[in-house]
Amino acid sequence: VDDNAPPVIVRQLTDITVPIGSNAVFAVAVTGSAPLSFQWQTSQVAIAGATNASYTIFEAQVTNSGNYSVIVSNLFGSVTSGVATLTVGFPPSVTQQPQSWTVAAGTVLNLGVSASGTAPLSYQWLNSSGQIAGATNATFTLNPAQTNDADGYFVVVTNLYGVVTSTVATVTVYVPVSITTQPASQIVPARSTVVS
C-alpha cells in the first residue's frame, strides 16, 4: 500500500432532482492517504463550512438549483470531482378539482382538472375500473355520455417532483323521458267514454 497516495475519486457525484423543501445530499467516495480534506463548491465558488465527504442542502429551494463539485486534498495532491446538477422543482398540486355532473344520456360531457407544478405535468384519468386508456390530458371527454358511464372519475397528476390525486367526481347519467306513442285524435259520440 502506497502511504504517499494522492486522493482519487472512486465514485463520482450524480445529478439530483428533488421537490422543493426536501433535503438534497451530494456524496463522493475517495481513496488516498489520510488525512483527506474536502471543499464543496457551487459554480466554482467555495461553500462556507462545506468540508465533509458529503454535503447536504436542507429544505432545498429553487435558488439552490445549480452545479456542485468538491475538491479533495491531502498532503500529496488534490483532485476535483465532476460536476453534478441539483434541480429543485415544485410537485404537482390540484388548483381546481373535477366537478360532479348529472346529465342526460347522449350529452357530451367534459371533465376537467387544473393543476400547477413544474412542467411537464402528466395526467391519467381513472374510474372504478382503473386507468382509462388514452385519458391522459387535463380534460377527459365522454362523447356522448351513456348510462354505463355513470361512475366516479378522478385524475392522477405527476411530474419529476411528485404525484397528486384529485378528488372523485361523480357522474350520473339518466335516460330522459320520451314519448313512445303519441295520442291519437278520435271522433266519438257525445257523452261517450274515451280511452286514449
Side-chain angles (χ1 to χ4, degrees):
V1 177
D2 185 356
D3 290 333
N4 301 320
V8 175
I9 295 174
V10 294
R11 188 184 70 236
Q12 286 285 351
L13 303 177
T14 56
D15 293 342
I16 300 176
T17 298
V18 297
I20 191 167
S22 298
N23 296 342
V25 181
F26 288 105
V28 67
V30 183
T31 61
S33 299
L36 294 169
S37 63
F38 301 85
Q39 178 58 65
W40 290 87
Q41 53 187 10
T42 179
S43 300
Q44 300 181 341
V45 176
I47 302 168
T51 56
N52 296 316
S54 64
Y55 174 58
T56 301
I57 300 168
F58 295 97
E59 297 181 0
Q61 301 299 308
V62 174
T63 53
N64 296 123
S65 296
N67 297 324
Y68 291 82
S69 59
V70 62
I71 300 171
V72 186
S73 305
N74 66 7
L75 294 174
F76 309 103
S78 66
V79 63
T80 301
S81 73
V83 172
T85 301
L86 172 63
T87 306
V88 181
F90 291 91
S93 63
V94 174
T95 56
Q96 184 174 345
Q97 299 285 353
Q99 300 298 305
S100 295
W101 292 90
T102 298
V103 297
T107 303
V108 176
L109 176 60
N110 290 311
L111 296 173
V113 68
S114 294
S116 63
T118 301
L121 297 174
S122 298
Y123 301 86
Q124 177 61 63
W125 287 87
L126 302 93
N127 61 15
S128 62
S129 298
Q131 293 187 357
I132 302 169
T136 55
N137 295 312
T139 301
F140 171 61
T141 302
L142 293 168
N143 184 16
Q146 303 295 337
T147 53
N148 61 354
D149 291 321
D151 206 339
Y153 293 83
F154 63 98
V155 61
V156 176
V157 186
T158 59
N159 67 5
L160 291 174
Y161 308 96
V163 58
V164 66
T165 301
S166 75
T167 58
V168 176
T170 301
V171 173
T172 303
V173 183
Y174 64 90
V175 177
V177 174
S178 61
I179 297 173
T180 56
T181 303
Q182 295 289 343
S185 299
Q186 298 183 38
I187 299 173
V188 297
R191 294 195 270 297
S192 298
T193 301
V194 177
V195 178
S196 57

